[in-house]
Amino acid sequence: MELLKLNKITKTYRNPGSQVETQALEEISFALNEGEFLSIMGPSGSGKSTLMHIMGLLDRPSSGELFLRGQAVGQLTDDQAARIRNKEIGFVFQSFNLLPRVSVLENIILPLSYVGLAANQEKEMAQKVIAAVGMEHRQNFLPNQLSGGEQQRAAIARALVNNPSIIFADEPTGNLDSKSGQQVMTILQKLNKEGKTVVLVTHEQATAQHGTRMLQLKDGRLISDMPITNRRLAENEDGLGK
């Protein structure tokens, strides 16, 4: 089933105080089906993160249309987009974005505060995803007491806690050593095998090969959209080989 569809998505930024415009994306069109593991690859400045932000309803295109489950989302208010984002989408970023002064468990519970569940339900849901990423023994630790790989696993658990339809991972192994990166990719591939749709943004060919399909961007243009025929399986690797 088609989950997302992009129709001629263009994004142009205007520099403050001048008329100079920078085109980050130019007429990007493709569809994403449920259950895919899509790798978006390209060099720095190619438009990868901009595209992810638009697909994840964190930003709006300058022109073109985005559809989620067949519904055009361009006319949504910011509040409506935020509600859909909280329900349908989970994000994992290179910098982890964990709150430093609260525990792993409290970090993971945070997205549930917008749902209106009882405290015991929130804790139960959070502990379920903590177990899914193998972090039960660290749930009461603060982020600065964790390794980089453990922080990223906690961030994945936070992305999962609302049971989203799609997980966006923006350079999720960028700050990690090869062993920790392998663990993160193993988790993402396992989630995909269980039916989650995953979108991975990376500039590394070896990391991109963990997906099932690859888009390549260059200078804001989509230059290639191909299935990955020689997929790498993280659980069988010694490391990602930075």
Side-chain angles (χ1 to χ4, degrees):
M1 178 181 289
E2 191 173 272
L3 182 58
L4 284 174
K5 183 177 180 180
L6 291 79
N7 183 29
K8 296 186 176 180
I9 293 292
T10 295
K11 182 66 177 182
T12 303
Y13 294 101
R14 176 169 291 178
N15 296 340
S18 76
Q19 298 300 310
V20 177
E21 293 186 342
T22 302
Q23 189 149 300
L25 297 173
E26 185 173 350
E27 295 198 343
I28 303 289
S29 298
F30 66 92
L32 176 70
N33 292 324
E34 288 192 60
E36 285 196 87
F37 191 135
L38 176 69
S39 295
I40 300 176
M41 189 184 162
S44 178
S46 60
K48 304 184 303 296
S49 292
T50 300
L51 178 59
M52 188 205 79
H53 288 166
I54 290 173
M55 293 172 68
L57 308 186
L58 292 172
D59 198 1
R60 297 176 185 265
S62 303
S63 64
E65 293 180 289
L66 174 68
F67 299 88
L68 175 62
R69 301 189 189 281
Q71 176 190 1
V73 300
Q75 303 305 313
L76 295 176
T77 66
D78 289 345
D79 285 346
Q80 289 170 329
R83 282 195 292 271
I84 290 176
R85 195 166 57 237
N86 197 52
K87 178 183 177 183
E88 297 275 4
I89 299 169
F91 294 98
V92 181
F93 296 100
Q94 180 176 351
S95 56
F96 317 135
N97 290 353
L98 298 172
L99 297 178
R101 293 186 174 86
V102 299
S103 70
V104 167
L105 178 63
E106 292 168 305
N107 264 284
I108 293 167
I109 284 174
L110 184 62
L112 296 174
S113 61
Y114 305 102
V115 180
L117 298 173
N120 64 321
Q121 290 178 294
E122 290 180 345
K123 186 174 181 180
E124 183 180 338
M125 290 176 68
Q127 288 178 327
K128 182 178 179 181
V129 293
I130 287 171
V133 300
M135 288 287 290
E136 305 98 311
H137 61 304
R138 293 285 193 263
Q139 68 176 20
N140 295 316
F141 283 49
L142 296 175
N144 66 6
Q145 297 174 306
L146 306 177
S147 69
E150 287 171 335
Q151 289 186 62
Q152 194 61 292
R153 284 153 64 189
I156 292 172
R158 183 184 55 194
L160 289 173
V161 74
N162 274 339
N163 193 27
S165 301
I166 182 169
I167 298 168
F168 288 97
D170 191 1
E171 300 280 8
T173 64
N175 285 336
L176 305 179
D177 59 47
S178 59
K179 182 178 179 181
S180 297
Q182 176 198 2
Q183 292 172 341
V184 166
M185 294 310 304
T186 298
I187 291 169
L188 291 176
Q189 286 188 325
K190 179 174 180 287
L191 292 168
N192 178 243
K193 187 176 180 180
E194 293 169 354
K196 289 289 181 192
T197 305
V198 178
V199 176
L200 170 69
V201 172
T202 182
H203 67 279
E204 296 179 334
Q205 178 77 31
T207 304
Q209 290 294 132
H210 291 85
T212 58
R213 174 186 173 194
M214 189 189 303
L215 302 186
Q216 288 189 284
L217 299 183
K218 183 179 181 181
D219 298 330
R221 292 174 175 266
L222 178 60
I223 61 170
S224 175
D225 181 355
M226 299 286 289
I228 295 173
T229 55
N230 53 338
R231 188 185 192 193
R232 298 181 67 171
L233 298 177
E235 64 181 359
N236 297 334
E237 297 174 348
D238 293 327
L240 288 178
K242 291 292 195 184

